Amino acid sequence: MPAVLGFEGSANKIGVGVVRDGVVLANPRRTYVTPPGTGFLPGATARHHRTVILDLLQEALTEAGLTSKDIDCIAYTKGPGMGAPLVSVAVVARTVAQLWNKPLLGVNHCIGHIEMGRLITGATSPTVLYVSGGNTQVIAYSEHRYRIFGETIDIAVGNCLDRFARVLKISNDPSPGYNIEQMAKRGKKLVELPYTVKGMDVSFSGILSFIEDVTQRMLATGECTPEDLCFSLQETVFAMLVEITERAMAHCGSQEALIVGGVGCNMRLQEMMETMCQERGAQLFATDERFCIDNGAMIAQAGWEMFRAGHTTPLSESGVTQRYRTDEVEVTWRD
Amino acid sequence: MQAPGDGSAAGAGGRGGQQSSGTPGCQRRAGSPEGEGGPRRPEARRGPGRGGAAMRGPAAGRRGGRAPRALRRGGGAALAAVRPGRRRLVLNLTVPFRSLLEAHMAHRALIAGAQRDPGVIREEYTVNGSALTIRWTAEDLDLFRISIDSIFDQLSRVIGNIQHLWLPPP
């Protein structure tokens, strides 16, 4: 059975993973962390990835106990994501594929999350809440496509949280979202924020603008604490996500919900989703930070499924695309 | 590096209002010997190639005189697509590799990421013997610089990968 090596580097995490027969043999990762109050820019992120990727590759092979001869396919993130980091990883994948004489496979990042979530949790056909710094979608599988039932119409929920973290100059280590979560646990007061659900979709840019505007004033007057604001932002945006997920589950008659993506690590989000699922008699699935956060193994796993189904990507078509919709991929590996 | 466009594009406010198409340093290097031209990329110079990259522009441009006939405004079908007030910028970069195989690897690794909008900036890749030649053609100086910078980054990564991961057969 094939062993697939996967490269992921669409945002500020760079990971190389090895998967064979549904077993994750290796999954090392590095994160590009910027100073508090700043975000990560494409050029600097790409430079970070270039610096560490070959070491990560060696680390992955060593951890898996494999050599290049044991690898059957090279998978990489084709998109969506940030341009420069995507290109820097794709170039390495193309070169490695040629050096080792292995087929190449471009993988949709979102599908990587879904396939890893399915593998780790064993969920059969869940309604998927995919939430990260770059994407916010509610997805369900139907007739060989992962269909998007609802999504953000502007910024991703993780982007909203990360940018609010910059306002408060919260540390980006290990991630701004994690630090917001810890502060939110100490919040006591709920500050009313705009709640923006539009049918099956959500909007976060207005919430972000509002909270950016009021933060300085409210903190200066002592009306609330930074912890209260973190708590209030989480409660508001997570409630919106739970609402649209429940709406999709009702539409599909689904009894399973799966959370994937970096924001899926958030225990408060998992708690709120669990409450909703229990009320519906449904089951919630979620993974831990090893597989929620962007990682190479998820690309390897999706690549493994695609490779077994006969997919490969010719070198001439192995570019990247910053806008790569989840439903663009024909999911031939599922019934 | 050969000053983009023609050799007469010297100071600021060149013809057609276009900003200077090369720094003084670039002009001094116009037509300089192989391996000494243009932006320095240590990886490219230490790479599998024999001595580094050679960058050449249109031959007439090296003389630093008037624009070569083919590039003069209104001269020939080649200029039909150049908008009024703009100048076509051309750069050729030749990177020698140790073998035809490595040149082809680099070619295949880079060509997949080539510009998809050839109307804005055109990148052409060819392999001649064990050398990879990249030719840029553009009207917009900023896009020109961005593309060159991007390709240099990718090329250095490809060369680094080849050096790190593979040894050529004896």
Side-chain angles (χ1 to χ4, degrees):
Chain A
M1 296 298 270
V4 177
L5 182 86
F7 290 95
E8 155 57 28
S10 59
N12 68 327
K13 273 75 76 182
I14 171 80
V16 180
V18 181
V19 168
R20 180 166 59 194
D21 301 347
V23 177
V24 177
L25 301 177
N27 197 19
R29 176 177 64 208
R30 301 279 188 279
T31 304
Y32 173 53
V33 176
T34 54
T38 68
F40 53 92
L41 297 174
T45 307
R47 278 191 289 279
H48 167 269
H49 292 353
R50 282 199 295 272
T51 306
V52 302
I53 189 169
L54 292 184
D55 289 337
L56 270 178
L57 171 61
Q58 192 53 57
E59 206 175 308
L61 290 175
T62 303
E63 190 177 322
L66 300 176
T67 68
S68 58
K69 293 184 179 53
D70 303 312
I71 300 296
D72 297 289
C73 177
I74 309 294
Y76 73 100
T77 304
K78 188 177 180 67
M82 299 171 77
L86 281 173
V87 168
S88 69
V89 172
V91 165
V92 173
R94 282 182 219 128
T95 318
V96 168
Q98 292 182 84
L99 287 169
W100 296 357
N101 195 26
K102 306 292 179 185
L104 191 61
L105 244 179
V107 173
N108 180 296
H109 178 90
C110 315
I111 291 183
H113 276 293
I114 295 172
E115 293 301 336
M116 180 52 80
R118 287 180 61 230
L119 173 71
I120 296 299
T121 65
T124 49
S125 193
T127 298
V128 179
L129 176 62
Y130 170 33
V131 279
S132 70
N135 297 280
T136 297
Q137 296 174 351
V138 176
I139 298 160
Y141 175 75
S142 173
E143 295 184 9
H144 299 292
R145 300 265 170 176
Y146 284 113
R147 314 276 176 179
I148 301 170
F149 280 77
E151 60 186 327
T152 177
I153 61 174
D154 40 58
I155 62 174
V157 62
N159 188 245
C160 179
L161 294 168
D162 292 350
R163 285 162 69 176
F164 178 62
R166 287 184 228 163
V167 172
L168 293 181
K169 300 274 194 301
I170 294 172
S171 171
N172 291 322
D173 189 7
S175 74
Y178 175 83
N179 291 328
I180 285 182
E181 181 182 358
Q182 304 315 306
M183 289 179 68
K185 290 177 184 174
R186 301 190 293 273
K188 296 182 175 56
K189 178 180 175 181
L190 181 67
V191 176
E192 192 171 344
L193 301 174
Y195 182 95
T196 323
V197 171
K198 297 177 183 289
M200 291 296 297
D201 296 327
V202 286
S203 168
F204 298 110
S205 61
I207 302 170
L208 178 63
S209 298
F210 180 88
I211 200 171
E212 283 176 338
D213 279 347
V214 304
T215 289
Q216 296 307 329
R217 176 180 60 76
M218 296 185 83
L219 294 180
T221 59
E223 200 174 329
C224 66
T225 64
E227 288 77 6
D228 294 335
L229 289 172
C230 291
F231 168 71
S232 305
L233 181 60
Q234 280 198 172
E235 293 299 299
T236 305
V237 299
F238 291 167
M240 291 162 54
L241 295 172
V242 170
E243 178 181 336
I244 63 168
T245 307
E246 183 174 19
R247 192 164 285 129
M249 291 174 72
H251 180 84
C252 299
S254 174
Q255 291 301 105
E256 292 178 332
L258 168 66
I259 311 177
V260 298
V263 180
C265 295
N266 190 297
M267 298 309 295
R268 179 56 184 151
L269 174 62
Q270 291 187 21
E271 186 183 355
M272 293 170 74
M273 286 282 290
E274 176 68 38
T275 302
M276 178 271 288
C277 286
Q278 280 180 358
E279 289 172 355
R280 299 186 58 80
Q283 191 174 3
L284 177 68
F285 296 90
T287 62
D288 61 37
E289 58 85 27
R290 291 174 297 165
F291 304 112
C292 257
I293 298 173
D294 292 348
N295 62 91
M298 74 185 196
I299 301 301
Q301 169 60 17
W304 186 85
E305 294 278 15
M306 295 171 72
F307 186 61
R308 286 201 320 149
H311 293 255
T312 56
T313 302
L315 271 168
S316 58
E317 294 170 22
S318 62
V320 299
T321 174
Q322 289 183 249
R323 295 182 185 275
Y324 191 8
R325 295 285 285 173
T326 311
D327 52 12
E328 274 186 56
V329 178
E330 190 172 1
V331 182
T332 56
W333 57 92
R334 290 186 65 175
D335 294 327
Chain B
M1 180 177 79
Q2 171 62 43
D6 59 57
S8 66
R15 277 183 298 185
Q18 185 163 342
Q19 55 184 302
S20 171
S21 51
T23 64
C26 287
Q27 289 178 293
R28 281 197 295 275
R29 288 193 287 273
S32 56
E34 180 172 341
E36 293 182 24
R40 299 297 173 91
R41 295 283 171 169
E43 291 85 351
R45 298 192 72 198
R46 291 196 300 270
R50 287 186 294 276
M55 285 172 274
R56 300 186 185 87
R62 286 203 206 103
R63 293 194 288 272
R66 297 174 63 193
R69 182 180 296 275
L71 291 179
R72 283 195 201 138
R73 196 169 300 182
L79 273 185
V82 179
R83 287 165 282 169
R86 305 304 292 267
R87 180 177 299 149
R88 177 166 291 153
L89 309 169
V90 180
L91 175 68
N92 291 308
L93 169 68
T94 300
V95 182
F97 287 86
R98 289 179 294 199
S99 67
L100 174 65
L101 180 59
E102 290 183 6
H104 272 294
M105 273 197 238
H107 175 246
R108 285 191 290 262
L110 294 174
I111 197 166
Q115 282 289 333
R116 296 185 182 194
D117 185 358
V120 176
I121 181 165
R122 189 182 180 91
E123 297 161 5
E124 298 165 73
Y125 299 82
T126 50
V127 175
N128 296 303
S130 62
L132 172 69
T133 299
I134 309 170
R135 179 183 173 91
W136 286 269
T137 310
E139 290 178 24
D140 187 292
L141 183 59
D142 289 332
L143 290 178
F144 195 66
R145 287 176 181 151
I146 291 169
S147 177
I148 292 172
D149 195 43
S150 171
I151 297 296
F152 268 123
D153 281 342
Q154 293 178 57
L155 185 60
S156 72
R157 181 70 350 233
V158 169
I159 293 171
N161 289 345
I162 293 173
Q163 286 180 322
H164 190 97
L165 295 171
W166 187 59
L167 289 172

